[in-house]
Amino acid sequence: MGRIFKSAALALALMGALSGVALAQKTEVRIGVALEPPILDPTAGAAEAIDIVVYQNIFEGLTSIDENGAVQPGLASEWTISDDNLTYTFKLHEGVTFHDGSAFDADDVKFTFDRILAADSVNAHKELYTDIESVTVVDPFTITFKLKKPVGLFLFNLGRGDAVIVALESADNNATTPIGTGPFAFVQWDKGNRVLLERYEPYWGELPALTKATYRFIGDTAAMTSALLAGDIDGTNNFAPDSLAVFEGNPQFKVLVGTTEGETILGTNNRKAPFDNLKVRQAMAHALDRKAIINGATYGYGTPIGAPFAPHNAYYVDLTNTYPYDPEAAKELLAEAGYPDGFSATLKLPPLGYARLSGQIIASQFAAVGIKLELINVEFAQWLQDVYTNHDFDLTIISHVEPFDIGNYANPDYYFGYDNPEFQALIKTLNETVDDAKRKELAIEAQTILAKDAVNGYLFELAQTGVWNAKLAGMWQNSPIEGLVLRGVHWVE
């Protein structure tokens, strides 16, 4: 009996130890993402896939953007702003180190912004920072920015992935071996497969609960579904809406449906006929049945939009009724524009599910009013070359995922080629306005102009549809900025 008792006790102890090991292992997470980043330096590339891995995980900025899109302190603990809104003085956290052990100080901040503004800069959004006149190191932990003119979004822009702080010693290698100040350090990148991060134990702020994070690249929905069901990954931040039914109601998973900054548009080449004719663009707007597009392309998860602005933004105004779905009105406008029998055009579609599904639906809707579309499927690299760079297109479908990117419409060289001096002046005023109430008024005016001009077909705001292990918590439900922030993610029992 004694031996049996001891054996049972030993077994119980062993079970307890193994249980403890199992619990200890719940500090790791494996995340499936659809796109592999081309590089890992967010200051040198525009792809959202970069920020999904590194933003607020490996790299940090002077400020940070929270889940609600609000500006919070980052590497800067506090700041003061001069009465004329031209001088910002930042106090920096002390005791911060980069992942190679080198110390962070004001010289790194100056280096970062000198690099962004350099003539040979490859920063994808250098234009956001060109109103910086000077960056001056006051002391190792105080730095001053002098602006050429007030910039209403200056603090927000400092919190973007484009402005994360990098070090002179490691910046040139960040594309493949990123070194930042964040709570997670880069370990390895197995191209075509995964990126591995580990918690940076000397991190200056509160340590995250996770000790390891693995990003696995799984571009196929069926493969992502299988990986989730098999437990090979613990979740994904943006799962295909058409397959969500597999996980809804399954107690092993939680489905998080939130909003993004992804305004999905029927991109229109305003430079060329017949799209340079306002009546043609108005006709196309009347031919769009947003409800049918949303149901068919996003399985009901998208939110209709009438202008290029996110519905969750405090400045948003609902303009979806500017040109309501009305095929007969579309036909009349086409006739007035000189196209009584309609016309033919091409629609170039990148390899994104929502784009290609929307394209099929829109082609049917346009055919009903006499517009015959040829659908051309292209790979994303070709889309970037043909549409975004060379402006060789009639129509396209894409989601613009960057926050507050309405300013793109003030750039006549942007791919859809909208050239309106009145709008350009309005955006200039908006960008230089700091008062929030006035900014909202100007933003609503800007949205109204774009809606009335039917610059593009404004379709829907992409939803963020995450699927996660039911015991995982702390993921952002909404996506007010590009990224998949890990600092609050943790396991619960």
Side-chain angles (χ1 to χ4, degrees), residues 287-290 292-293 325 360-370:
L288 293 170
D289 181 352
R290 289 187 186 89
I293 296 168
Y325 177 56
Q360 294 171 16
I361 298 165
I362 290 172
S364 176
Q365 293 176 358
F366 277 18
V369 302

Side-chain angles (χ1 to χ4, degrees), residues 343-360:
F343 59 87
S344 297
T346 59
L347 175 58
K348 290 190 175 180
L349 300 169
L352 300 163
Y354 68 81
R356 293 188 175 173
L357 288 171
S358 295
Q360 294 171 16

Side-chain angles (χ1 to χ4, degrees), residues 12-318:
L12 287 170
L14 182 59
M15 288 172 63
L18 290 174
S19 175
V21 170
L23 287 173
Q25 290 174 339
K26 288 296 185 181
T27 60
E28 302 180 6
V29 70
R30 301 155 303 167
I31 300 170
V33 292
L35 295 175
E36 181 172 13
I39 58 174
L40 295 176
D41 181 357
T43 71
E48 181 188 19
I50 303 170
D51 291 289
I52 290 294
V53 175
V54 307
Y55 178 69
Q56 290 194 40
N57 298 326
I58 295 176
F59 292 108
E60 299 174 302
L62 290 178
T63 64
S64 66
I65 310 303
D66 69 15
E67 183 178 0
N68 300 310
V71 175
Q72 303 293 345
L75 289 171
S77 58
E78 59 183 278
W79 53 83
T80 57
I81 307 172
S82 64
D83 291 341
D84 61 5
N85 295 304
L86 293 177
T87 303
Y88 289 68
T89 301
F90 294 88
K91 288 290 186 181
L92 308 179
H93 282 287
E94 300 185 29
V96 177
T97 59
F98 287 92
H99 301 148
D100 61 0
S102 61
F104 157 81
D105 62 20
D107 287 332
D108 297 303
V109 178
K110 179 170 174 54
F111 166 75
T112 295
F113 285 92
D114 285 349
R115 180 172 176 256
I116 289 172
L117 296 170
D120 60 350
S121 171
V122 294
N123 193 288
H125 289 290
K126 177 179 177 179
E127 77 280 357
L128 296 176
Y129 309 100
T130 52
D131 287 321
I132 297 173
E133 182 175 286
S134 64
V135 181
T136 304
V137 173
V138 178
D139 62 47
F141 299 104
T142 308
I143 195 156
T144 295
F145 287 73
K146 177 73 173 178
L147 305 184
K148 301 172 186 174
K149 60 187 180 185
V151 178
L153 282 175
F154 184 62
L155 291 173
F156 185 95
N157 290 338
L158 292 183
R160 297 170 60 116
D162 309 278
V164 295
I165 304 303
V166 298
L168 170 65
E169 297 82 359
S170 53
D172 288 345
N173 297 319
N174 279 340
T176 55
T177 312
I179 293 176
T181 61
F184 292 90
F186 170 80
V187 176
Q188 68 186 72
W189 181 5
D190 301 325
K191 292 194 175 182
N193 182 19
R194 66 175 186 166
V195 165
L196 177 63
L197 311 182
E198 285 186 350
R199 186 170 70 188
Y200 182 56
E201 297 301 330
Y203 180 58
W204 63 272
E206 182 179 352
L207 281 175
L210 296 176
T211 59
K212 183 184 292 185
T214 302
Y215 287 84
R216 284 190 52 196
F217 310 123
I218 307 173
D220 179 71
T221 299
M224 187 80 80
T225 301
S226 296
L228 285 162
L229 292 172
D232 294 334
I233 58 174
D234 302 307
T236 181
N237 67 311
N238 220 355
F239 190 70
D242 59 313
S243 298
L244 281 176
V246 175
F247 301 99
E248 290 173 330
N250 185 330
Q252 292 182 311
F253 298 93
K254 62 174 70 172
V255 175
L256 292 182
V257 179
T259 59
T260 72
E261 287 286 334
E263 293 88 46
T264 307
I265 63 169
L266 176 65
T268 305
N269 194 339
N270 285 246
R271 295 178 182 85
K272 61 187 297 188
F275 311 109
D276 57 351
N277 187 317
L278 175 60
K279 287 187 176 181
V280 168
R281 299 197 305 273
Q282 290 171 327
M284 293 194 303
H286 276 305
L288 293 170
D289 181 352
R290 289 187 186 89
K291 183 176 181 181
I293 296 168
I294 290 169
N295 287 338
T298 75
Y299 297 81
Y301 286 100
T303 303
I305 58 172
F309 225 79
H312 61 249
N313 194 293
Y315 297 171
Y316 175 77
V317 58
D318 185 356

